[in-house]
Amino acid sequence: MAFFQPKILNQLLADFPLVPVFYHEDITLTKSIIKACYDGGMRAFEFTNRGEKALEVFSAIYPFIRENCPEMALGIGTIFTAAQAKTFIDAGADFVVQPIITPEVGAYCLANEVAWFPGAATLNEIYTATQLGAEIVKIFPGNVVGPGFVKSIKGPMPNLKVMVTGGVEPTEESLKQWFSAGVTAVGMGSQLFPASLLASAKFDELSSNVKALLAYVETLKTKK
């Protein structure tokens, strides 16, 4: 069973709406990145299933998070099958993120009380995801659909909660566009973790950047 139940996880995303999306096969580096994000105020971390060592790294960082980042939820992304979902849920995943919608994955997550964020890029896909039980739908790729798409779908589906991934930049301008459009949360990947930062190991700099971005998002939330 997940450490964070779905209702708590969904509220966690609303309260701390910036989610790192990260993969690296170096366990030590990944731990440092996670701790820097946590120290900066992030409370949900998506590790992606994008390499041969994904399960090995995930299994190593889970106990690290529980000991050193007790208020952080650890999720697994890039999941396509129920078998993959089961493997990572057994390893401790608090939430499962997909680039697509697989009903079997949704059913398995719901049956095991694990938050499920399926990926969608059309209104029909979004509606299907909600009908299958998703309380928050991942909009992907964000750089293709744009903030205008999110704002438009809020018309026929005003209560829809979405997390956008892809095309979200760690800048005030980008965050303002997305949160003004009505997103609940955003996922940020390579732009938050440029190669230069990984090479220099300036994790304090990452923490400071994250803290500033979260503070800015709070100002956007109060303006709604």
Side-chain angles (χ1 to χ4, degrees), residues 5-223:
Q5 296 299 290
K7 292 291 184 183
I8 296 175
L9 197 290
N10 292 339
Q11 187 59 50
L12 195 70
L13 286 191
D15 294 339
F16 304 94
L18 303 186
V19 181
V21 180
F22 184 79
Y23 173 80
H24 203 286
E25 64 180 27
D26 187 315
I27 294 173
T28 300
L29 173 63
T30 302
K31 289 178 178 179
S32 296
I33 290 292
I34 291 171
K35 189 63 166 60
C37 289
Y38 186 77
D39 290 344
M42 287 178 162
R43 291 298 180 265
F45 193 98
E46 178 187 336
F47 187 77
T48 60
N49 181 32
R50 294 185 181 177
E52 293 182 359
K53 295 186 177 182
L55 180 60
E56 176 186 341
V57 178
F58 188 94
S59 298
I61 62 178
Y62 176 78
F64 172 82
I65 285 181
R66 293 281 62 84
E67 180 178 353
N68 299 280
C69 312
E71 297 177 11
M72 177 171 274
L74 176 63
I76 184 65
T78 319
I79 294 297
F80 290 89
T81 69
Q84 290 175 330
K86 180 182 186 305
T87 295
F88 283 94
I89 289 172
D90 287 347
D94 292 304
F95 59 95
V96 171
V97 186
Q98 294 195 265
I100 60 169
I101 301 169
T102 308
E104 294 79 10
V105 171
Y108 187 83
C109 289
L110 294 174
N112 288 275
E113 299 185 48
V114 175
W116 173 54
F117 307 134
T122 68
L123 192 56
N124 190 59
E125 292 173 347
I126 293 167
Y127 178 75
T128 297
T130 62
Q131 292 303 292
L132 290 171
E135 294 192 23
I136 297 178
V137 180
K138 171 184 171 179
I139 302 296
F140 175 81
N143 58 316
V144 174
V145 299
F149 174 74
V150 174
K151 186 175 183 179
S152 295
I153 62 177
K154 283 284 189 168
M157 304 180 74
N159 298 318
L160 176 69
K161 296 180 180 180
V162 300
M163 175 174 66
V164 174
T165 301
V168 181
E169 301 176 8
T171 65
E172 291 186 358
E173 180 181 2
S174 180
L175 293 174
K176 182 178 181 179
Q177 289 180 333
W178 287 110
F179 281 93
S180 296
V183 303
T184 295
V186 296
M188 292 188 289
S190 59
Q191 295 192 4
L192 185 63
F193 311 107
S196 57
L197 183 145
L198 300 182
S200 64
K202 293 182 178 179
F203 302 119
D204 289 343
E205 183 179 305
L206 174 60
S207 294
S208 297
N209 187 31
V210 166
K211 185 176 181 179
L213 293 174
L214 283 167
Y216 178 69
V217 170
E218 280 300 311
T219 68
L220 299 178
K221 291 162 64 176
T222 58
K223 291 178 182 179

